[in-house]
């Protein structure tokens, strides 16, 4: 009992062992479970699908944004389904085709072209009165943080094909 | 109760073999008009509970729990609203200082400060006094917080036309309606309407359901030709005879559905 | 007969000490509405617990019909509400109870706050109570999605987008809750169901147990 400070007493030793063993048992149980729970976070993002035919002829695209609906195959875990996608499609001043996602960049509500009578010539989100100019950029001092997402698009045989919505690079 | 030597046990267990009384202690010696929890006070609590329960049950019978139409991600223009007790947070995000570049302030800092302060209230307000006048800061902050929560909730709720919202989102009962695809009207329907209103009139991304509508035949034929709301004119292309077949078909499906 | 049964049980488990721990304690005058009507403010905690009991029971019975699957969730709710006897009442109890429990919880919290009843030595119990409040809000948020109607879907979308805005871990947090980085769908519903029915109630029961044990150990705060 002379050098008491340096020695681990019998009770301390037992307590340490108990804590360690308890930690091992808890970890042994929880590691598989936690990995199981966080799996969606760690899964590789699936490769981008092909661009889909949205059934709209390029000649029909006007300068007025029009709503385009089409279907894509979606795999949600074990649940495979066809889901509807929507885009606002129009030609800008330069004649380039623009396809905007209708998902508000604030909190994901559905944005409509001229959705409010008070704001003509703008995209409008009814949830928090978010607004976007015709070129998709958010109106300052409205809730959205960034411009509307833009769909990848290509034109083949005069038909419009759309892919995934991509956030626009900040200009 | 006996302790130590002389204790008797049931069998080889640690259960005392001596009977102890379960009659509550006599609390009349305590200061003030103290009474026993069981059964005196609990009886009063349960009286209150019974009155509450009767009122609660009456309310559930009078007002059925709302159920809207089945979730459809493409429902355009749907204005989502959280439960009423989250409305104040939802409304907060409308303000300039809590959205746009300051969204962090709205979703993390402000609620974080408020709820953090609530959690740590005993340590922030650690003076000895318990009466509200003795701790004006804590009470003042709480009154301010309560007032802003009430005000935000009111601001958010007063803008919503609850009746119209409930009306527009009625659940459509799942029907085992059989659509007569041999009907001449269905062929017309296939040509003009199926793209938006679905192959069994159930509606879809771009058009509402045509089942359970209240329009008259004349109105339907007018809408088919001239459009309504988001529906552009000229969707129906065909002869007058085909239009008549189409309207008859839609009406017949509705009559069947109404049964 | 009952006395015999009681004696038989008492001989085996010694009821009296358990009984004393649970039910045999005094209630001071200042919380008794029979003497001071204003003491009705002390009812809110008990009523909160009463509504929690209603929520737990009605929730247990609701799962007899409900399925957490996006094809069938809405149909099962519609069915149990419109076809099953008293379905409207049972779902109504769970639906309105969720609101009432928040109201009662708020009133109870305000009573404790304005009386300063959280001061030493009751700090811990106040914090446990605030945690119960959070768990209740979590139960409200996760329960909102389960009927899988439009209201549920879009409100959850907004809630998840708020999670998405959290700095650094936002997208991961959203995926963890929703089960998919982009879709609010089948995996979201099962996750919310698990959280609503198992995880949060488990936490709630543990916190409630601590809350009640601490009340019994510390007693009700004295009169102002």
């Amino acid at each position: 009992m002379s050098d008491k400070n340096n020695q681990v007493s019998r009770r301390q030793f037992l307590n340490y062992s108990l804590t360690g063993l308890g930690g091992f048992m808890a970890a042994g149980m929880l590691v598989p479970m936690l990995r199981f729970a966080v799996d969606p976070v760690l899964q590789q993002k699936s490769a981008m699908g092909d661009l889909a035919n949205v059934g709209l002829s390029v000649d029909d695209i006007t300068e007025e944004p029009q709503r385009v609906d089409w279907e894509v195959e979606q795999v949600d875990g074990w649940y495979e389904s066809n889901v509807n996608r929507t885009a606002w499609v129009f030609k800008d001043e330069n004649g380039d085709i623009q396809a905007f996602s209708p998902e508000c960049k604030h909190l994901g509500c559905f944005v409509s072209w001229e959705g409010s009578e008070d704001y003509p010539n703008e995209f409008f989100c009814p949830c928090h009165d978010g607004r976007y100019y015709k070129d998709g950029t958010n109106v300052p001092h409205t809730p959205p943080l960034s411009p509307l997402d833009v769909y990848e698009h290509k034109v083949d045989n005069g038909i419009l094909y759309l892919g995934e919505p991509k956030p626009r690079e900040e200009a | 109760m006996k302790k130590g030597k002389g204790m008797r046990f049931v069998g080889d267990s640690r259960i005392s073999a001596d009977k102890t009384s379960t009659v509550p202690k006599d609390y009349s010696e305590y200061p003030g008009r103290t009474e026993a929890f069981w059964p005196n006070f609990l009886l009063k609590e349960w009286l209150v509970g019974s009155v509450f329960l009767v009122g609660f049950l009456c309310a559930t019978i009078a007002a059925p729990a709302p159920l809207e139409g089945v979730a459809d991600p493409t429902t355009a223009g749907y204005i989502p609203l959280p439960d009423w007790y989250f409305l104040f947070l939802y409304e907060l995000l409308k303000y300039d200082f809590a959205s746009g570049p300051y969204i962090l302030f709205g979703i993390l800092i402000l609620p974080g400060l408020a709820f953090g302060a609530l959690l740590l209230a005993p340590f922030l307000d650690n003076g000895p006094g318990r009466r509200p006048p003795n701790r004006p800061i804590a009470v003042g902050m709480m009154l301010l917080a309560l007032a802003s929560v009430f005000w935000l909730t009111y601001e958010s709720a007063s803008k919503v036309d609850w009746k119209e919202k409930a009306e527009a989102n009625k659940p459509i009962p799942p029907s085992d309606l059989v659509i007569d695809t041999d009907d001449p009207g269905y062929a017309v329907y296939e040509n003009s309407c199926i793209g938006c209103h679905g192959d069994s009139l159930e509606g879809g991304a771009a058009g509402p359901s045509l089942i359970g509508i209240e329009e008259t035949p004349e109105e339907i034929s007018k809408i088919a030709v001239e459009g309504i709301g988001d529906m552009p004119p000229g969707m129906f292309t065909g002869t007058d005879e085909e239009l008549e077949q189409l309207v008859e078909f839609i009406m017949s499906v509705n009559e069947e559905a109404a049964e | 007969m009952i006395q015999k049964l009681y004696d038989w049980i008492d001989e085996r488990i010694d009821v009296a000490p358990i009984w004393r721990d649970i039910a045999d304690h005094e209630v001071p005058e200042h919380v008794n509405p029979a003497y001071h009507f204003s003491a009705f403010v002390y009812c809110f905690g008990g009523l909160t617990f009463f509504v929690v009991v209603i929520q737990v029971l009605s929730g247990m019975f609701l799962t007899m019909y409900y399925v957490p699957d996006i094809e069938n969730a809405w149909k099962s709710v519609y069915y149990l509400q419109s076809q099953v006897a008293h379905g409207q009442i049972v779902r109504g109890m769970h639906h309105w109870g969720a609101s009432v429990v928040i109201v009662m919880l708020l009133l109870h919290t305000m009573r404790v706050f304005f009386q300063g009843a959280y001061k030493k030595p009751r700090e811990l119990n106040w914090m446990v109570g605030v945690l119960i409040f959070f768990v209740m809000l979590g139960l409200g948020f996760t329960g909102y999605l389960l009927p899988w109607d439009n209201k549920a879907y879009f409100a959850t979308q907004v809630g998840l987008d708020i999670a998405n805005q959290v700095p650094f871990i936002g997208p991961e947090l959203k995926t963890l809750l929703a089960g998919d980085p982009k879709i609010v769908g089948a995996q979201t519903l099962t996750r919310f169901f698990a959280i609503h029915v198992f995880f949060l109630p488990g936490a709630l029961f543990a916190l409630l147990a601590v809350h009640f044990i601490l009340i019994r150990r510390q007693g009700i705060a004295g009169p102002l």
Side-chain angles (χ1 to χ4, degrees):
Chain A
M1 289 291 158
S2 55
D3 44 1
K4 204 176 181 179
N5 294 336
N6 299 333
Q7 277 196 337
V8 177
S9 77
R10 182 178 172 77
R11 170 174 294 150
Q12 268 178 325
F13 172 76
L14 290 179
N15 273 337
Y16 291 156
S17 311
L18 191 67
T19 314
L21 208 57
F24 169 75
M25 289 200 294
M29 284 190 296
L30 287 176
V31 163
M33 295 178 196
L34 290 178
R35 181 61 184 81
F36 179 82
V38 301
D39 189 53
V41 180
L42 301 175
Q43 252 171 26
Q44 291 297 316
K45 305 274 182 294
S46 54
M48 291 299 162
D50 293 335
L51 276 68
N53 180 346
V54 299
L56 180 71
S57 159
V58 174
D59 302 333
D60 292 339
I61 301 175
T62 59
E63 293 206 345
E64 177 82 4
Q66 58 175 310
R67 185 179 159 153
V68 177
D69 297 278
W70 74 100
E71 279 197 346
V72 291
E73 272 179 27
Q74 177 181 277
V75 180
D76 175 17
W78 58 92
Y79 187 80
E80 291 174 25
S81 57
N82 289 326
V83 294
N84 292 302
R85 285 261 176 99
T86 303
W88 291 104
V89 178
F90 63 98
K91 278 183 183 151
D92 62 16
E93 316 71 278
N94 307 327
D96 294 329
I97 294 169
Q98 297 284 356
F100 291 149
S101 159
E103 215 169 276
C104 183
K105 294 300 279 181
H106 181 220
L107 295 171
C109 301
F110 190 94
V111 177
S112 294
W113 173 248
E114 298 194 335
S116 164
E117 283 163 14
D118 300 337
Y119 304 110
N121 237 12
E122 281 177 11
F123 292 99
F124 179 78
C125 174
C127 286
H128 291 99
D129 302 352
R131 286 148 57 199
Y132 303 85
Y133 296 119
K134 194 181 175 188
D135 65 1
T137 46
N138 44 318
V139 176
H141 304 297
T142 65
L145 279 169
S146 52
L148 288 171
D149 285 352
V150 180
Y151 279 102
E152 296 176 295
H153 72 273
K154 70 170 183 191
V155 177
D156 196 22
N157 270 337
I159 300 287
L160 181 68
Y161 286 73
L162 294 180
E164 295 286 325
K166 288 266 166 60
R168 189 187 322 211
E169 302 299 323
E170 294 287 341
Chain B
M1 200 197 285
K2 275 185 223 161
K3 284 220 167 99
K5 265 194 180 161
M7 271 186 90
R8 298 183 300 119
F9 296 102
V10 179
D12 62 352
S13 76
R14 303 293 184 268
I15 300 286
S16 168
D18 297 314
K19 280 267 140 70
T20 40
S21 161
T22 53
V23 175
K25 283 178 233 159
D26 182 8
Y27 293 106
S28 57
E29 296 297 311
Y30 282 54
R33 278 172 289 185
T34 299
E35 67 179 10
F37 171 72
W38 184 295
N40 309 34
F41 187 72
L42 195 59
L43 179 65
K44 287 171 194 154
E45 282 207 328
W46 282 10
L47 280 174
V48 176
S50 306
V51 172
F52 170 82
L53 182 64
V54 169
F56 182 64
L57 283 178
C58 289
T60 59
I61 294 166
L67 181 67
E68 296 191 342
V70 64
D72 175 9
T74 52
T75 309
Y78 187 89
I79 302 177
L81 277 180
D83 249 342
W84 61 267
Y85 43 85
F86 287 122
L87 274 181
F88 71 100
L89 282 174
Y90 189 68
E91 179 72 12
L92 180 68
L93 301 181
K94 266 187 203 175
Y95 289 90
D96 239 7
F97 61 86
S99 59
Y102 309 111
I103 183 115
L104 276 187
F105 188 72
I107 64 168
L108 271 189
I109 299 175
L110 206 56
L113 278 178
F115 285 112
L118 190 70
L119 186 66
L120 299 176
F123 306 101
L124 301 172
D125 170 32
N126 55 5
R130 274 184 52 203
R131 293 177 157 277
N134 297 342
R135 42 196 192 103
I137 299 178
V139 169
M141 300 273 267
M142 180 55 94
L143 287 176
L144 191 70
L146 275 182
S148 30
V149 165
F150 277 121
W151 189 74
L152 283 172
T153 307
Y154 172 78
E155 273 290 290
S156 181
S158 62
K159 283 183 203 144
V160 181
D161 189 340
W162 297 98
K163 263 207 183 118
E164 192 192 299
K165 193 170 156 65
E167 200 62 31
N169 292 294
K170 270 190 188 158
I172 302 144
S175 64
D176 20 47
L177 207 59
V178 184
I179 306 285
D180 180 11
T181 49
D182 293 333
D183 191 301
Y186 189 79
V188 183
Y189 178 83
E190 255 182 325
N191 282 336
S192 303
C193 323
I194 200 162
C196 297
H197 294 288
D199 53 9
S200 48
L201 287 72
E202 79 278 18
S209 167
L210 297 181
I211 300 170
I213 52 175
E214 281 159 10
E215 278 82 2
T216 61
E218 292 74 41
E219 283 168 334
I220 295 174
S221 54
K222 193 171 167 223
I223 292 168
V225 176
E226 296 173 10
I228 186 171
D230 283 342
M231 179 174 164
M235 290 313 290
F236 171 77
T237 48
T239 63
D240 285 352
E241 191 192 341
E242 282 171 340
L243 182 62
E244 208 167 288
Q245 285 171 343
L246 174 70
V247 172
E248 244 169 55
F249 165 70
I250 294 176
M251 292 312 287
S252 72
V253 172
N254 271 286
E255 274 160 29
E256 205 182 315
E259 277 164 19
Chain C
M1 179 63 205
I2 292 178
Q3 185 60 44
K4 261 192 176 163
L5 187 68
Y6 173 80
D7 287 343
W8 189 88
I9 294 173
D10 187 41
E11 196 182 6
R12 277 153 186 83
I13 63 170
D14 201 6
V15 174
I18 303 172
W19 173 253
R20 293 234 181 281
D21 282 347
I22 295 173
D24 187 17
H25 54 100
E26 79 280 12
V27 177
E29 177 186 339
H30 72 281
V31 305
N32 196 329
Y35 301 131
H36 307 281
F37 181 70
S38 62
F40 74 87
V41 292
Y42 288 94
C43 281
F44 297 136
L47 282 178
T48 309
F49 180 61
F50 183 44
V51 187
V52 168
V53 171
I54 293 179
Q55 290 302 93
V56 171
L57 286 175
S58 57
M60 279 160 58
F61 281 93
L62 282 174
T63 55
M64 287 186 169
Y65 291 92
Y66 177 77
V67 274
D69 165 70
I70 57 173
E71 291 272 311
N72 294 308
W74 187 87
K75 287 182 198 159
S76 67
V77 174
Y78 188 82
Y79 177 83
L80 74 86
Q81 179 155 355
S82 59
Q83 305 292 316
V84 181
H86 291 185
Q88 184 193 315
I89 300 178
V90 176
R91 176 156 184 258
M93 286 164 96
H94 204 70
H95 177 91
W96 298 119
S99 290
V100 174
V101 87
I102 299 284
V103 173
M104 290 297 161
L105 211 48
L106 191 70
L107 292 173
H108 177 59
T109 311
M110 289 306 112
R111 192 274 292 173
V112 174
F113 183 88
F114 286 115
Q115 289 192 339
Y118 53 65
K119 296 202 169 213
K120 190 182 171 187
R122 299 189 172 81
E123 301 97 325
L124 266 182
N125 216 10
W126 166 266
M127 289 166 75
V128 170
V130 174
L131 291 181
I132 291 176
F133 205 156
F134 291 158
V135 169
M136 285 292 184
L137 290 177
L139 281 164
F141 177 65
T142 49
Y144 210 62
L145 178 69
L146 300 186
W148 200 249
D149 60 358
N150 263 333
K151 190 168 63 176
Y153 178 87
F154 286 101
T156 303
Q157 184 93 301
V158 171
L160 289 174
D161 256 318
I162 291 176
N164 198 22
Q165 309 262 10
V166 173
F168 308 118
I169 57 160
E172 283 77 17
L173 186 66
K174 183 190 173 189
T175 312
L176 190 63
L177 280 170
D180 191 281
K182 288 200 195 101
I183 310 163
V184 175
Q187 301 189 78
T188 318
L189 187 55
T190 47
R191 263 168 196 260
F192 273 51
F193 180 74
I195 294 171
H196 185 79
V197 174
F198 296 105
F199 289 81
L200 288 180
L204 181 68
F205 294 151
L207 289 169
L208 279 179
V210 175
H211 203 64
F212 292 153
I213 289 169
L214 284 177
I215 296 170
R216 285 304 315 279
R217 281 192 87 84
Q218 298 173 331
I220 297 171
L224 275 178

